[in-house]
Amino acid sequence: MTRFAFLVTTVSITLTGVLLGADVKSQNLNETKVTLTAKRTILAEVLNKIEQQSEFSFSFSKKVGAIALESFQAENKSLANVLKELTVGRHLKFTQLGDLIALSELPVPPKPGRISGKISDQEGESLPGASIKVIETGNTAQAGADGSYVIDLQPGTYTLVFSYISFQTQRVTGVLVTGSKNTPLNVSLKMDSKGLKEVVVSSDYKKASVAGLLAKQKNAAEISNGISAEQISRSPDKNIGESLKRISGVSSVDNKFVLVRGIGERYNSAMLDGTVLPSTEAQTRNFSFDMIPSNLVDNVVVSKTITPDMNASFAGGLIQVNTKDIPSENFMSFTAGVSYNDQSTGKNFLSHKRGRYDYWGFDDGGRNSPSNLVVTDKEVEPNRSMPEAEYQQKLVDQSRRFTNDNFTVYKYKTAPSQNYQFTIGRLLKLDTLNKNRFGFTGSLSYRNTQNINEIERQNRSDWNLDTENAGKAYGFNTTIGVLLNAGLQLGKNRITLRNVFTHMYDNVLIRNIGYDNVLGGDFIPLNTPNRIQEADDPTFTDLLQNKLSGQHQLGRAKLEWELAKTFIERKEKDLTIANSSPQLVNGAYQYFYIPGNFNQPQISDNLSRHTYKNDEHHYSWTASVTF
């Protein structure tokens, strides 16, 4: 036998022995029994205990050995079952080679992405039940009652085909799906007016999505402009009052009241999720849009002409605010912001005494009026026939019931504005075809702003026209917003519950210093203003809206209905007006409050305090059928 032949024979016999030995050891995995208990340890420690009870040894990387185990227990279990329990669910696998067992990581499978959007016609109306097919995989889906659809796909580039009865089929190419992300694709289908057997319109992803977004605005019967959540997110706007002024033809007053094409507030109307909003002001028809935090909003549309399906209560513009609905993918975000204003931050801030909960937007009771107050008007019985001494005592007794001092002015430092927003969305698929799904969007926001506005000149009312009566407005605002929307889609039926709550505390102290028209000349030579006027207006406003709506596709008919309740409460608690005049004390002028001289409810130019409350409850329901 040659040397080479002998070498080959030796290697063959050796390999055969190894394989036979490996087979024997493989059987021992089931025959070998282990008993162990481990708590709050790592995988390497568990494997070390197994080595001590068996003839096997383990090979693994440092990363695999460091995998944490909360607890693990085995009582006379086979080694094969123990290894399965240790590897399943941890993306691990074990490979046996004789008495050596190697543990290694499995490759992480790519997370699927999704394509979602709405299918509509050229007029922007949704096409419920429209079909969607993915060419590469053969996956199919149908649009819901509102024309929306969702398709889950592995990462890659796909071609989608959209079809609907009496409409031209549209093929969209180059749709890129990224793992764990959503690809939005809104499609607008054209009517098949000639009744052709088959027409397929092809376009790429960018062209198709842009056409879908522009279809509704291009073909809308009314003149409208709007702003989307994506545009709002790219701006520093904290509330919708600030965002509205970015819409063409819309201007805002104090970043909260809106003028459309220069037309005043009495000719405009506001809607939240399709429901008319009552006025937040007691004396005017106006809605304060700074109450709605920007992170709660999906889009805002301003309609400047009326159509038959709209509320007919406006002549200037209809501002429609729509909140976020069922999300197209799971998401969670938290943002925090602080802003610095060189005209306000760190400067002296004048205010009446702050309550313990002002930063949370609630009153601690310090601005409450005494209960069971009585009428003190001298011209009203029994005051008219009451002896003067008894009547004066009645005035004194009632005045003593006001124990809270909301006139003294305190000095603070203006804090930077702060803004916090937390938003979460979850989508739960109830079937593999995405015809049935449940989702919700929740959001919580907090905002506190403090600012100082200069008043260069005040000449209205009885202020002296020949002097510079300057002052400042000290604004303190806390706004809390909560949103919880949920939706359930079952095939061609969709039910949505929307809930929005906003609480706002807005307090502005206006303090002007100057001269009046009557006595101003007496003090001008001494360069001593004869008036300091202060007006403080702590206002608490609550907005709550609950809305339940549904969309149902019944053959060729589409049924839509909704029930809504909207509540607004506005309280001005202890609004105070005070005037101070100078008095010469020890050769120097000091300012003292001028007492009020009115016993009946009215605004006094000297000293007065007021409490107002205005609340409205609106209930509405609608139902419509479209063929």
Side-chain angles (χ1 to χ4, degrees):
M1 181 181 291
T2 63
R3 183 180 298 178
F4 176 74
F6 176 77
L7 181 62
V8 170
T9 302
T10 303
V11 172
S12 299
I13 294 173
T14 303
L15 288 176
T16 302
V18 172
L19 292 175
L20 290 174
D23 183 62
V24 172
K25 293 294 185 179
S26 177
Q27 296 175 4
N28 287 341
L29 284 179
N30 292 315
E31 296 174 359
T32 302
K33 305 296 183 180
V34 295
T35 298
L36 58 91
T37 299
K39 289 185 178 180
R40 295 183 180 178
T41 184
I42 58 176
L43 183 58
E45 295 294 335
V46 174
L47 297 177
N48 183 49
K49 291 183 178 181
I50 295 175
E51 287 181 342
Q52 296 173 6
Q53 301 181 39
S54 68
E55 300 176 357
F56 294 94
S57 59
F58 295 91
S59 173
F60 49 85
S61 66
K62 185 177 180 180
K63 181 179 179 181
V64 171
I67 294 177
L69 297 177
E70 185 65 24
S71 64
F72 186 82
Q73 186 172 1
E75 182 68 30
N76 199 28
K77 283 186 179 181
S78 69
L79 182 55
N81 289 333
V82 170
L83 291 175
K84 288 179 180 178
E85 292 182 21
L86 288 172
T87 55
V88 172
R90 295 185 173 89
H91 293 290
L92 298 176
K93 70 174 182 178
F94 68 91
T95 304
Q96 181 191 4
L97 183 59
D99 59 355
L100 178 65
I101 301 175
L103 273 75
S104 59
E105 291 183 281
L106 291 170
V108 179
K111 294 184 179 180
R114 60 174 52 89
I115 304 172
S116 67
K118 287 190 176 183
I119 306 173
S120 61
D121 60 16
Q122 287 181 290
E123 302 301 325
E125 296 295 328
S126 60
L127 297 178
S131 298
I132 308 100
K133 181 178 181 180
V134 182
I135 296 298
E136 287 78 6
T137 65
N139 289 16
T140 60
Q142 277 192 327
D146 61 342
S148 64
Y149 71 93
V150 176
I151 301 179
D152 290 335
L153 294 168
Q154 291 296 326
T157 303
Y158 298 92
T159 298
L160 273 65
V161 176
F162 299 84
S163 60
Y164 194 70
I165 299 175
S166 301
F167 283 79
Q168 297 178 6
T169 300
Q170 183 166 348
R171 181 191 300 265
V172 181
T173 61
V175 183
L176 179 63
V177 176
T178 306
S180 302
K181 293 186 178 180
N182 177 63
T183 301
L185 177 57
N186 298 315
V187 174
S188 176
L189 301 183
K190 296 180 180 180
M191 282 287 295
D192 184 8
S193 58
K194 295 182 180 181
L196 299 176
K197 184 176 181 180
E198 182 178 8
V199 175
V200 179
V201 179
S202 297
S203 62
D204 60 17
Y205 166 73
K206 183 176 181 180
K207 182 178 179 181
S209 59
V210 171
L213 292 172
L214 296 179
K216 185 173 182 178
Q217 185 171 351
K218 182 178 68 175
N219 296 287
E222 80 275 8
I223 300 174
S224 64
N225 295 94
I227 186 170
S228 65
E230 289 78 12
Q231 293 171 299
I232 295 174
S233 65
R234 292 194 294 267
S235 71
D237 302 336
K238 299 178 291 295
N239 58 73
I240 295 304
E242 297 177 352
S243 301
L244 279 168
K245 61 187 178 183
R246 303 183 187 278
I247 300 176
S248 177
V250 179
S251 56
S252 63
V253 179
D254 296 332
N255 282 335
K256 57 182 179 179
F257 302 128
V258 172
L259 304 177
V260 181
R261 296 183 297 175
I263 299 177
E265 70 282 350
R266 62 180 297 188
Y267 299 105
N268 300 321
S269 184
M271 300 181 74
L272 179 62
D273 290 327
T275 301
V276 177
L277 289 169
S279 174
T280 56
E281 307 304 303
Q283 306 299 328
T284 61
R285 181 191 177 188
N286 220 339
F287 183 80
S288 184
F289 285 96
D290 62 339
M291 290 189 61
I292 305 178
S294 58
N295 68 310
L296 305 186
V297 174
D298 184 59
N299 62 74
V300 182
V301 177
V302 179
S303 299
K304 302 172 185 177
T305 55
I306 195 169
T307 58
D309 60 324
M310 293 183 182
N311 186 285
S313 61
F314 74 96
L318 175 65
I319 300 96
Q320 304 174 71
V321 181
N322 301 303
T323 58
K324 296 177 179 179
D325 197 354
I326 303 177
S328 56
E329 61 181 335
N330 294 338
F331 69 91
M332 183 169 61
S333 66
F334 174 78
T335 59
V338 177
S339 63
Y340 174 87
N341 186 332
D342 61 0
Q343 300 297 314
S344 304
T345 307
K347 304 293 179 64
N348 289 331
F349 188 98
L350 302 185
S351 171
H352 293 160
K353 187 176 181 179
R354 288 180 182 165
R356 293 192 301 271
Y357 310 129
D358 282 6
Y359 270 94
W360 293 107
F362 296 93
D363 184 36
D364 61 358
R367 301 179 181 90
N368 290 340
S369 297
S371 58
N372 301 322
L373 294 176
V374 297
V375 177
T376 57
D377 188 348
K378 183 61 175 175
E379 301 303 319
V380 176
E381 291 292 351
N383 301 326
R384 181 185 299 177
S385 55
M386 188 179 293
E388 185 62 25
E390 184 179 349
Y391 173 69
Q392 292 299 326
Q393 186 60 45
K394 181 178 182 179
L395 294 179
V396 172
D397 291 342
Q398 179 145 293
S399 298
R400 286 176 175 172
R401 301 179 64 185
F402 290 86
T403 58
N404 295 326
D405 176 16
N406 290 331
F407 287 99
T408 301
V409 175
Y410 293 80
K411 185 182 295 185
Y412 302 90
K413 291 294 183 181
T414 309
S417 297
Q418 50 187 318
N419 181 47
Y420 307 95
Q421 298 178 349
F422 173 75
T423 307
I424 185 172
R426 287 293 181 266
L427 179 65
L428 176 63
K429 295 175 292 183
L430 305 181
D431 66 337
T432 57
L433 298 178
N434 281 322
K435 290 184 178 180
N436 305 322
R437 59 184 187 268
F438 171 80
F440 74 89
T441 299
S443 184
L444 176 65
S445 64
Y446 169 86
R447 182 181 78 246
N448 177 264
T449 57
Q450 301 175 37
N451 56 74
I452 303 173
N453 292 323
E454 298 282 346
I455 302 174
E456 294 183 357
R457 193 180 185 94
Q458 173 65 275
N459 291 125
R460 298 185 63 184
S461 185
D462 59 345
W463 290 88
N464 194 297
L465 298 178
D466 299 324
T467 56
E468 295 183 0
N469 310 305
K472 293 181 179 180
Y474 303 89
F476 185 99
N477 181 287
T478 296
T479 302
I480 297 174
V482 181
L483 175 141
L484 181 59
N485 290 348
L488 174 65
Q489 181 164 318
L490 300 174
K492 296 182 180 180
N493 301 285
R494 181 185 179 101
I495 298 177
T496 304
L497 176 64
R498 298 173 182 266
N499 305 276
V500 178
F501 172 74
T502 301
H503 174 80
M504 182 175 69
Y505 164 56
D506 190 50
N507 190 186
V508 179
L509 171 65
I510 300 177
R511 192 170 191 265
N512 288 318
I513 303 176
Y515 306 88
D516 62 25
N517 274 330
V518 181
L519 300 176
D522 295 342
F523 294 91
I524 291 175
L526 300 176
N527 196 28
T528 302
N530 78 317
R531 168 192 280 184
I532 298 178
Q533 186 180 77
E534 298 163 355
D536 188 37
D537 188 6
T539 304
F540 300 83
T541 308
D542 289 328
L543 166 65
L544 173 65
Q545 184 179 96
N546 309 108
K547 180 179 179 180
L548 180 66
S549 60
Q551 296 175 322
H552 311 276
Q553 190 67 34
L554 309 173
R556 300 290 293 178
K558 182 178 181 180
L559 171 64
E560 297 181 276
W561 57 269
E562 64 179 43
L563 302 170
K565 180 190 75 172
T566 305
F567 167 72
I568 283 186
E569 180 182 74
R570 184 176 187 270
K571 292 181 180 179
E572 293 178 85
K573 303 186 68 174
D574 210 2
L575 184 157
T576 58
I577 299 175
N579 279 274
S580 303
S581 63
Q583 301 292 329
L584 192 61
V585 179
N586 296 327
Y589 283 102
Q590 297 183 19
Y591 288 85
F592 298 89
Y593 287 122
I594 304 173
N597 56 357
F598 292 100
N599 298 325
Q600 63 274 12
Q602 70 180 68
I603 297 178
S604 169
D605 288 339
N606 293 329
L607 197 68
S608 62
R609 58 202 310 176
H610 316 262
T611 296
Y612 303 95
K613 179 182 178 181
N614 175 59
D615 62 76
E616 292 188 41
H617 296 259
H618 284 199
Y619 299 90
S620 63
W621 64 272
T622 61
S624 62
V625 179
T626 306
F627 295 93

